Amino acid sequence: MRLYAATTNPGKLRDFARAAEGQQAGGEAITIETLAGLADIPAPAEDQPTFEANARTKAIYYSQHAPDALVLADDSGLEVMCLDDAPGVRSARYAEDQAQALGFPVAPASTLDERNNFALLRALDGVPEHCRRARYRCVLALARGGEVVGVAEGSVEGRILNAPRGAGGFGYDPLFLVLEYGQTMAELDPAVRLAINHRGRALRKMLQQVSERAI
């Protein structure tokens, strides 16, 4: 059985592929592939207030471009408790939001991930360690023909450090300390990171639905 992911993000695709290894539905191996022609499909607006609403919007939209296919879409990000769960759905655009709010850039020219990490550290400047609890969250929606047929969620608990550590992963991984391992996501062995991350956990729950409900 093939599920078609509505993303070209190599990190997400790697996480999904790892989580799908060895999984079956109806005695058939499950594989994850990028939706064909995705680069040529105009992206929908991701302007909903929750991860689930954005994931549903994307799954419905992209599944209408692929008749009969099961299309998987996600929305995921970082929630920091003392920031009222920000960056949240704006995780990928946090530096941009902070720059607009403050009226000046919050970071020098660099990669998007570096700018977002810098903006997060700036927002947490002076915040004590015990107030830096955070979680990675991912919500997946599965749709066929414009109708959502499954929703699943995964999360990982952690804490935001004062400075980045590690060279693996992407996004906020160098700042996100996984409490049960005492290492950042960027420091963890790749096999461990793939096994415990929020996208993998969400996908395994989704694949269980696909198998049990014969979606």
Side-chain angles (χ1 to χ4, degrees):
M1 174 182 287
R2 288 185 177 87
L3 304 184
Y4 294 91
T7 181
T8 57
N9 184 304
K12 291 184 178 183
L13 290 170
R14 185 172 57 249
D15 290 349
F16 291 150
R18 173 64 177 81
E21 287 180 1
Q23 301 292 320
Q24 294 189 342
E28 184 180 358
I30 295 176
T31 60
I32 310 290
E33 298 180 9
T34 300
L35 183 65
L38 182 62
D40 298 322
I41 302 173
E46 296 184 41
D47 53 5
Q48 298 300 311
T50 67
F51 291 123
E52 180 173 341
N54 276 325
R56 283 177 172 271
T57 295
K58 290 190 285 186
I60 290 170
Y61 173 81
Y62 285 113
S63 70
Q64 293 171 333
H65 291 267
D68 301 322
L70 282 168
V71 177
L72 186 71
D74 88 293
D75 197 32
S76 55
L78 177 71
E79 295 179 333
V80 182
M81 286 51 175
C82 69
L83 297 180
D84 295 325
D85 289 341
V89 296
R90 299 293 295 179
S91 291
R93 297 167 289 277
Y94 190 56
E96 173 188 332
D97 291 348
Q98 291 292 90
Q100 291 178 356
L102 297 172
F104 57 85
V106 296
S110 55
T111 69
L112 177 61
D113 285 350
E114 289 171 343
R115 289 195 297 274
N116 284 331
N117 278 275
F118 187 94
L120 180 62
L121 288 175
R122 183 177 183 131
L124 290 172
D125 187 33
V127 174
E129 188 172 294
H130 69 275
C131 294
R132 290 169 169 257
R133 293 294 294 267
R135 72 172 64 90
Y136 268 138
R137 283 185 63 209
C138 173
V139 178
L140 294 175
L142 188 67
R144 181 193 284 119
E147 180 180 354
V148 173
V149 295
V151 175
E153 179 175 335
S155 63
V156 181
E157 299 295 321
R159 178 166 51 82
I160 304 302
L161 298 180
N162 291 306
R165 285 180 6 199
F170 64 100
Y172 297 96
D173 286 354
L175 294 177
F176 189 89
L177 182 73
V178 183
L179 300 178
E180 59 187 301
Y181 287 91
Q183 292 181 301
T184 68
M185 276 287 194
E187 292 176 307
L188 286 173
D189 180 273
V192 175
R193 183 170 61 248
L194 289 170
I196 71 165
N197 73 42
H198 50 310
R199 278 178 290 273
R201 289 177 172 178
L203 184 61
R204 282 187 285 274
K205 291 179 181 178
M206 178 66 78
L207 297 182
Q208 185 174 359
Q209 291 183 37
V210 170
S211 179
E212 293 177 350
R213 295 165 48 196
I215 291 175

